Amino acid sequence: MNEPRDPDVDLHVPAQRREWSRGQLTLVATVALGGGVGATARYGASLLWPTAPDSFPWTTLAVNAVGCAVIGVFMVVITDVWAAHRLVRPFFGTGVLGGFTTFSTYAVDIQQLVVHGRAAAGLAYMAATVCVALASVWAAAAATRRLVDGRQR
C-alpha cells in the first residue's frame, strides 16, 4: 500500500497499533465534538438572523467573517503565546470553527440566489465571501500579533 504513514509507528506491532488507534479515535471524537458545538452556534445565528432564499445571505457572510477572524486570533495565540494541549487545536480550530464557518451553506446560498434569478448577487456573494474571509483572518491575526508583541515589551 502507498498510504501515508507515521514513521514512528509500526502498525505490525500490536501495542503500537492499539496506541495509534486509541489516539486516532480520541482525535476524531475531539474534532466531532467541536464540530457539533460550532454547527450548533451557526444554526443559532441562522435562527436569530434568518435569510429568505432570494435575499442576500448576510448571516452566512457574517458567520464566515467572524469565524475566520477568530481563527486568525486563535492561531496567533496558540503558536506565539500559549503552549496549548495537543487537542485544543483540533477541538477549537478544526472542530468548533470548522463547524461554525460553512462552505456548504455558502454554496447553497449561491445556488438559491441563482435559482431565484439573482445570478449577479450570487456572483458578488461568491467573491465577497472569499475576500471577506481572507481579509478577516489576516486582519485579526495581524492585530493579535501586534497586541501580543506590544505586551511582551
Side-chain angles (χ1 to χ4, degrees):
M1 288 197 263
N2 290 328
E3 294 179 22
R5 62 185 183 90
D6 183 343
D8 297 329
V9 177
D10 184 352
L11 295 178
H12 295 99
V13 176
Q16 288 185 14
R17 187 171 47 241
R18 278 191 304 277
E19 180 180 331
W20 182 85
S21 295
R22 202 172 20 252
Q24 289 301 106
L25 180 61
T26 301
L27 181 63
V28 169
T30 299
V31 171
L33 179 63
V37 170
T40 301
R42 175 174 32 87
Y43 178 68
S46 74
L47 292 177
L48 286 171
W49 303 287
T51 302
D54 61 340
S55 64
F56 195 86
W58 290 108
T59 301
T60 306
L61 180 64
V63 161
N64 285 335
V66 168
C68 287
V70 173
I71 196 74
V73 171
F74 176 68
M75 291 308 294
V76 170
V77 169
I78 68 165
T79 57
D80 296 356
V81 177
W82 178 43
H85 183 276
R86 70 178 185 84
L87 294 176
V88 168
R89 186 174 178 175
F91 173 76
F92 190 72
T94 306
V96 173
L97 294 174
F100 183 66
T101 59
T102 171
F103 183 78
S104 59
T105 303
Y106 161 70
V108 169
D109 288 343
I110 294 166
Q111 178 199 25
Q112 288 297 309
L113 287 168
V114 170
V115 164
H116 287 91
R118 302 199 55 215
L123 186 60
Y125 172 61
M126 184 170 56
T129 296
V130 173
C131 293
V132 167
L134 291 172
S136 294
V137 73
W138 177 83
T144 304
R145 196 162 277 116
R146 278 194 302 275
L147 182 66
V148 167
D149 289 347
R151 288 185 171 221
Q152 291 179 347
R153 291 182 186 170

